[in-house]
Amino acid sequence: MCDGGNQGKKPAFKTQFKKQQFCRNWLHTGIQMQAKITVTETWLRKHRHLYDGATRHPFIRSIRDGNIDISAFKTWLGQDYIFVRAFVPFVASVLTKAYKGSDDGNGDVEVILGGVAALHDEISWFKKEAFKWGVQLSSIVPQKANQEYCRFLESLISPEVEYTVAAVAFWAIETIYQESFAHCLEDDSKTPPELKETCQRWGNESFGEYCNSLRNIVDRQLEKASDDVITKAEATLLRVLEHEVDFWNMSHRRT
Ligand SMILES: Cc1ncc(CN)c(N)n1
């Protein structure tokens, strides 16, 4: 019924996506108004399994269940400090691309600038927390999974990577942490009191709103993107999910 006379041939993503939206609205006419399904929503449904693997990883579950091995936590802390330092130039590159590439009537630059400012606080927080846990940041050697993730970030800094593609990576990286740590703050969680502050850092509501603003930026960009850029952006999302899982694995295994 909703094939649109395409006789079984697979339409390009954008066409297919518009058609899905149309079909939903059409099916619900007179019954109820359906909210528009965004590209990110489509992706999160399609890749739910991978997404849950990144946001409900055993490392996160062990914090939430209160049986985290503190040496795994310390490994994560030291490795993440290194990651965040590499994340700063990446976010700065997204900011530059937003300035150059979007018409910015929607305030993308301000949202991303807020992210850069938050990273300044994040780095100070890592230093304070490392001191508290007796982690020597100056002697941390980046592990393989961290090195590969940082290399991936560097590859996204290239001016050849479109703003939309880089923004998708940025949104996904921030959102995975937000969802993961928010999970550790739910009412039935048994997160140890000494780790609550860490979970609050990314799991708090205002970080959640910031992630929603990033998602709105991404969806606006994707709506006007070519099929080629949409394909690249989806592949980038998948790579972020894989890197995040590897990153948690690295901390969890304490290798
Ligand atoms: C690995 C990783 N991913 C995401 C974030 C959140 N900025 C982080 N600090 N570290």
Side-chain angles (χ1 to χ4, degrees), residues 80 83-84 87 119 122 126 149 173-174 177 202 244 247:
D80 211 34
F83 175 85
V84 172
F87 193 49
L119 284 174
E122 206 165 301
F126 271 103
Y149 203 175
I173 292 169
E174 296 288 52
Y177 259 43
W202 292 278
E244 287 287 337
F247 199 91

Side-chain angles (χ1 to χ4, degrees), residues 27 54 196 235:
L27 285 170
K196 286 240 165 100

Side-chain angles (χ1 to χ4, degrees), residues 44-45 49 54 56 59 67 71 83-84 96 109 113 120 122 137 145 152 154 192 206 221 224 226 234 246-249:
L44 293 181
R45 289 181 192 185
H49 186 67
R56 300 290 184 265
F59 177 76
N67 52 28
S71 62
F83 175 85
V84 172
T96 306
V109 168
L113 187 58
H120 183 263
E122 206 165 301
L137 291 178
F152 171 65
E154 259 181 64
S206 98
Q221 285 297 122
K224 57 185 182 187
S226 66
E234 186 176 8
D246 289 347
F247 199 91
W248 295 131
N249 284 343

Side-chain angles (χ1 to χ4, degrees), residues 128-224:
K128 183 179 74 113
E129 206 65 10
F131 181 74
K132 182 169 121 191
W133 290 98
V135 174
Q136 268 285 334
L137 291 178
S138 55
S139 56
I140 304 286
V141 177
Q143 292 187 25
K144 188 165 167 274
N146 200 0
Q147 284 174 11
E148 285 172 0
Y149 203 175
C150 292
R151 252 199 304 273
F152 171 65
L153 287 183
E154 259 181 64
S155 73
L156 294 175
I157 292 176
S158 160
E160 272 156 43
V161 174
E162 297 83 355
Y163 170 48
T164 306
V165 174
V168 163
F170 183 32
W171 156 68
I173 292 169
E174 296 288 52
T175 300
I176 290 164
Y177 259 43
Q178 204 283 326
E179 285 218 17
S180 300
F181 285 109
H183 187 47
C184 301
L185 295 172
E186 286 162 1
D187 286 346
D188 58 340
S189 68
K190 300 191 190 84
T191 297
E194 63 273 25
L195 299 187
K196 286 240 165 100
E197 193 195 315
T198 299
C199 300
Q200 276 290 346
R201 166 128 227 115
W202 292 278
N204 73 74
E205 261 180 46
S206 98
F207 196 76
E209 282 161 20
Y210 158 67
C211 289
N212 279 338
S213 304
L214 292 179
R215 185 170 176 174
N216 290 336
I217 287 176
V218 161
D219 275 315
R220 261 197 313 268
Q221 285 297 122
L222 287 166
E223 260 181 41
K224 57 185 182 187

